[in-house]
Amino acid sequence: MTEYVMEAKNVYKSYCIKGEEKEESKLVEAVKDVSLQIRKGDIKLIFGPSGSGKSTFLRCMAMLDIPDKGEIYLGGECLTAKGVDLNRARARIGFVFQHIYLFRHLTALGNVELALRQVLKLPKAEARKRAMDALAEVKITECASKYPSQMSGGQAQRVGIARAIARNPDIILLDEPTSALDPELTGEVIDTLRDLAKEGTTMLIVSHEMPFAKEVAEEMIFYDEGHIVETGPPSLFFNAPNTDRAKQFMTRIINRTTRE
Amino acid sequence: MFEFLLDPRYYPDILQGLSLTIEITLFGVALGLLLGTLLAIGDIYGGKLVRGAIAVYVEFFRGSPLFVQLFIAVYTVPAILNMRIDHYVLAFLVFGLNSAGYQKGYIKGAMQTIFDDQMAAGLSVGMSKLQTLRYVIMPQAYRIVIPSWTNEFCSLTKSTSVLSFVGLLDLVGAGRTIIFGTMEVLPVWFIIGLIYLVWITGFSKLMDIIYEKKKIPGVELAMQS
């Protein structure tokens, strides 16, 4: 039995961007030999320039994208091995999308309830109760009967988080949960994440919310051009990162934050 | 001119014609929906061979006249299978197969507007691809497709006029019978046209009401974007 909740071992993933002409198509190596271990209760934060492959790596962790090479482990189980029931594995992983991706034809409650009914096969009343509990946890029960398009971005993303935590997953992966929101709406989502952090939820977060990172992350991971450049506690990055690239990036991002 | 309207001898023909038109249309659209959905899913998930076969199927049913398809069915299928098949059953099948050729396009188009993000979301909560299709993709796609069904229904209704070529009494067949009895041509076609118009308008309005009732805020936005 392994000590890690989740582990990535030498993961590679590239994809092809199709251009108009054949010559314009190019191969993007989004994940090149990335390894990462997460223990129970860990909160790790991945950050780095946009287009560097952070999201692709996170999708590989959830097996929403299948890695070209390398292994992903959930508990002791190797998800990249042949014949693994990926649906059952994904049911134990919560995923929060940058662009939220709620089920548009279902209410907030319906969004949270669906997997409880269809995946966990809970009876109707119990599924409803657990879904309401999850909505209460992100403090959004007032939106239970609203459809995604009737909510603000911040509310919708909190429903997205409720949908991810309702099954009591072993880990929650969050892909830039605030970056598609208007600046004044990021606060409520950050508050929700802060609450989850206090409860000891295991999380791997792609984010550039630096004050939040400083507060909750045990480890920050600087990711650029498809691999992990530097890892360390927030204090390392906020004071003196070892690599020049991390230094430059931190300077840019801190200047931006203070200007706002 | 319109005295035949008061002649009860013609009522059974008109009623029978109208009900055949309605039955074949509704059954045809329903069978087309079922097959069209399977074709759309096959076109999205299938390999080269499956997609090629679907393309040939669609081109055949969209590219040749419905009445040719009906003739082929009526004069070859029973011979090949060496059994008697009611023309009514064959007509229903031809209308369904034909409609599937069109509906595959509508359904696939609707699925594609929502497919990538909604499939990822469905998989992320632990549902299988099939469950996500069943509970997430298709409920949204079908709502988007309702206006196209209304068109499909109008077009199939009028296409039933080809049924009289193979000896089935649809509305046009009823019209012919009445003309034969009364020697009135224009007034009869006028009335037959009016019956089509009233039925199609009424049913289209019903579909509009269903569309409005089933409309989910945000789902049709997806279609426009």
Side-chain angles (χ1 to χ4, degrees), chain B residues 76-83:
Chain B
T76 67
V77 174
I80 291 168
L81 297 179
N82 199 17
M83 59 192 273

Side-chain angles (χ1 to χ4, degrees), chain A residues 90 101-102 104-105 118 149, chain B residues 117-118 123 131 135 140 217:
Chain A
R90 288 195 199 96
Y101 293 175
L102 291 183
R104 295 192 198 85
H105 63 309
Q118 300 305 331
S149 65
Chain B
D117 65 304
Q118 297 289 296
L123 294 179
Q131 281 177 316
Y135 296 106
Q140 295 182 49

